[in-house]
Amino acid sequence: TWTPSAGQAGAQDVTVLASNALGAATQSFTIDVAGTAPDTTPPSVPAGLAASNITKTSFSLNWSASTDDFGVAGYRVYLVTRCGFRLSKTCFTLQQTVGTTSATISGLTAGTTVRYAVRAFDAAGNASAYTPPVAVATLSPPGIAHSAQCYTGEKVAAIVGDKLSVVCPGAL
């Protein structure tokens, strides 16, 4: 018996060797193995990444679901930082993998700004592009003002004391 794998779909040359009391006989032929084409298409980029429930040490991230021809398996949530020589690169560090369109980020320091991005993935391992990063300023201790900077394409939810303002419509 032979059970073809997904990678063996298509035309296959087969040779069968059989023998009985009268001797051996060989037969060669080509068969067409039906199969599904491999999944090579990544999911769509998650849309609408936004922060909510911002406290001194945590916040929630939410986004709209991605789509994929074979289905989305989950989402990866990344901390976005500047790195490299003279901080000339953008680096993405995996923080969480979730199966829903939200994540809770915790263990942060009050009065700091962090940046996060998300990408979707499917069961075949294909991953979408990153969302544009969202920068989130955690609540500052009372009486301490906090300012936030953003990179090109970011949306920033900045909190000063107990007031929320959206900043950075342009580029840094």
Side-chain angles (χ1 to χ4, degrees):
T1 63
W2 170 55
T3 305
S5 67
Q8 294 172 316
Q12 298 292 326
D13 292 322
V14 177
T15 301
V16 177
L17 174 63
S19 64
N20 61 17
L22 300 175
T26 302
Q27 176 69 44
S28 294
F29 53 94
T30 300
I31 61 171
D32 189 26
V33 177
T36 14
D39 180 7
T40 59
T41 304
S44 64
V45 177
L49 179 63
S52 62
N53 303 319
I54 302 168
T55 71
K56 291 179 185 177
T57 60
S58 67
F59 61 90
S60 298
L61 285 175
N62 302 284
W63 57 89
S64 297
S66 295
T67 58
D68 184 72
D69 52 349
F70 287 88
V72 174
Y75 300 89
R76 294 184 180 115
V77 180
Y78 295 85
L79 175 65
V80 181
T81 57
R82 300 299 286 183
C83 60
F85 181 69
R86 295 188 182 174
L87 302 178
S88 60
K89 293 183 176 182
T90 300
C91 293
F92 297 87
T93 305
L94 180 63
Q95 300 293 300
Q96 295 181 33
T97 299
V98 297
T100 63
T101 58
S102 65
T104 299
I105 309 300
S106 60
L108 303 171
T109 301
T112 58
T113 299
V114 291
R115 292 162 177 78
Y116 278 82
V118 174
R119 65 194 310 198
F121 65 93
D122 62 23
N126 302 309
S128 72
Y130 295 97
T131 62
V134 63
V136 183
T138 57
L139 291 175
S140 298
I144 297 175
H146 179 81
S147 64
Q149 293 181 319
C150 63
Y151 304 119
T152 303
E154 284 186 322
K155 293 186 267 180
V156 176
I159 295 187
V160 178
D162 62 351
K163 298 189 188 225
L164 170 68
S165 62
V166 177
V167 295
C168 297
L172 174 65

